[in-house]
């Protein structure tokens, strides 16, 4: 990426300077940022997997084993989700701030740049990381932030419904998730083929959504804005939406005007907003086809 090193340095300096300023006058040099929970598998060039709002790193489990032969795979819980603590109360958890936390996670592990695959909010965070020069290639899977203005009403309605239903599905109604028919009825808004989602994963996903301490603050921070400024991203970017994605619909949340020139939206057949259980092999092929790219440009559909 032309100027990536300078951009990365400026970005890290900005995040570090922000921490120092917030700590000034209180007897400390900088804020102590939370460590991000993560899992690590495989060897090779680093590949970060970033989840969506209300989710966690476990959503990537069906795909991880298909990636580890070629990459050191690090599935990360974003701040305030999964097992990661939220950002400090005075930090507004925008996608850019979440990207800053991931950048500090990379710094702590000695990772200058990495391949990144992001689903939903994780895709938006990946775009912000790419702007800071920390990304080698970027796989966007149903990324958030590609609407115009604010989050579409249908997206708000569905995610809010999931948040309200999550404590019920994680607790007293959990037995309903034990049958494929019930999972199909209850989870069709998120998955394209809900019957393929194992009971244990479905219940864990509901628990992650119900317990996420950063959900409300993050929702307020990201739902009233959108991703901008990506036309100058100079690393390979590939984009895919599930054909059954009911969360981010065509004509509402799939505008490519802020993405690099030549970005093409591919389709993952019979997949929903979280396609990792719907078609893990197709998702893995999509990611690996991206990490193999030496330069940006239009690519054939996976």
């Amino acid at each position: 990426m032309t100027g990536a090193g300078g951009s990365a340095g400026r970005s890290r300096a900005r995040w570090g300077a922000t921490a120092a300023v917030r700590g000034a006058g209180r007897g400390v040099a900088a804020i102590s940022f939370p460590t991000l929970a993560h899992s690590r598998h495989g060897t090779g060039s680093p590949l970060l997997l970033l989840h969506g709002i209300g989710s966690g790193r476990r959503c990537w489990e069906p795909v991880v084993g298909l990636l580890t032969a070629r990459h050191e795979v690090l599935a990360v819980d974003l701040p305030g989700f999964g097992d990661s603590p939220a950002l400090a109360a005075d930090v507004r958890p925008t996608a850019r701030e979440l990207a800053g936390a991931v950048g500090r996670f990379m710094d702590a592990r000695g990772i200058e740049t990495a391949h990144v695959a992001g689903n939903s909010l994780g895709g938006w965070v990946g775009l912000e990381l790419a702007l800071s020069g920390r990304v080698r290639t970027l796989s966007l899977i149903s990324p958030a932030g590609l609407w115009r203005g604010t989050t579409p009403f249908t997206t708000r309605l569905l995610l809010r419904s999931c948040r309200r239903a999550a404590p019920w599905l994680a607790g007293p109604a959990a037995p309903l998730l034990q049958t494929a028919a019930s999972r199909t009825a209850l989870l069709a808004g998120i998955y394209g083929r809900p019957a393929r989602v194992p009971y244990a994963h479905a219940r864990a996903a509901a628990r992650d959504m119900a317990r996420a301490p950063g959900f409300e603050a993050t929702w307020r921070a990201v739902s009233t804005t959108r991703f901008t400024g990506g036309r100058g991203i100079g690393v390979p970017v590939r984009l895919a939406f599930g054909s059954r994605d009911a969360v981010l619909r065509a004509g509402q949340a799939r505008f490519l005007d802020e993405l690099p020139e030549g970005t093409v939206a591919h389709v993952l057949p019979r997949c929903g907003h979280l396609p990792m259980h719907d078609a893990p092999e197709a998702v893995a092929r999509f990611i690996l086809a991206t990490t193999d790219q030496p330069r940006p440009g239009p690519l054939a559909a996976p």
Side-chain angles (χ1 to χ4, degrees):
M1 177 177 182
T2 304
S7 175
R10 287 193 298 274
S11 180
R12 287 194 297 276
R14 182 179 71 247
W15 292 326
T18 301
V21 168
R22 287 179 181 141
R26 291 184 290 185
V28 293
I31 287 175
S32 176
F33 291 100
T35 299
L36 299 184
H38 65 282
S39 60
R40 175 189 170 278
H41 304 276
T43 59
S45 56
L47 167 62
L48 303 185
L49 304 179
L50 306 178
H51 62 81
I53 191 167
S55 187
R57 69 186 188 275
R58 284 175 283 272
C59 73
W60 293 101
E61 286 178 355
V63 178
V64 168
L66 302 173
L67 303 171
T68 52
R70 288 156 63 179
H71 294 286
E72 177 191 18
V73 180
L74 297 107
V76 179
D77 281 340
L78 294 173
F81 299 97
D83 298 319
S84 290
L87 295 174
D90 62 338
V91 177
R92 188 167 178 256
T94 62
R96 182 166 296 178
E97 286 286 357
L98 297 177
V102 176
R104 292 187 291 274
F105 167 80
M106 294 170 66
D107 291 340
R109 297 191 64 87
I111 301 172
E112 179 66 23
T113 60
H115 302 284
V116 174
N119 172 239
S120 195
L121 176 61
W124 189 352
V125 172
L127 284 164
E128 298 289 352
L129 272 174
L131 289 179
S132 73
R134 306 303 301 269
V135 174
R136 301 184 192 183
T137 66
L138 181 57
S139 302
L140 301 174
I141 301 171
S142 294
L146 302 186
W147 43 73
R148 290 190 172 141
T150 59
T151 310
F153 172 77
T154 53
T155 303
R156 293 169 181 258
L157 181 63
L158 186 51
L159 290 179
R160 274 293 174 194
S161 297
C162 289
R163 173 73 167 175
R164 287 193 294 270
W168 178 67
L169 288 175
L176 294 177
L177 296 172
Q178 292 179 349
T179 68
S182 293
R183 291 197 299 278
T184 297
L186 293 167
L187 306 178
I190 300 297
Y191 301 95
R193 288 180 269 188
R196 292 192 172 191
V197 183
Y199 164 72
H201 177 89
R203 185 174 185 182
R207 189 181 300 115
D208 281 344
M209 173 69 81
R211 295 180 179 178
F215 184 95
E216 298 301 331
T218 304
W219 176 254
R220 289 192 297 270
V222 302
S223 63
T224 57
T225 185
R226 63 173 299 205
F227 173 73
T228 60
R231 300 291 289 177
I233 291 175
V235 299
V237 177
R238 299 182 77 225
L239 171 68
F241 284 96
S243 65
R244 298 177 179 176
D245 189 342
V247 178
L248 300 175
R249 301 183 180 187
Q252 297 181 349
R254 303 186 189 184
F255 297 103
L256 310 186
D257 51 306
E258 294 292 338
L259 297 183
E261 185 176 355
T263 302
V264 177
H266 307 298
V267 175
L268 295 173
R270 300 179 67 192
C271 289
H273 186 63
L274 271 69
M276 289 74 89
H277 276 287
D278 293 332
E281 294 84 3
V283 172
R285 285 197 303 269
F286 175 76
I287 294 171
L288 292 174
T290 309
T291 64
D292 279 347
Q293 295 305 307
R295 59 185 182 277
L299 300 167

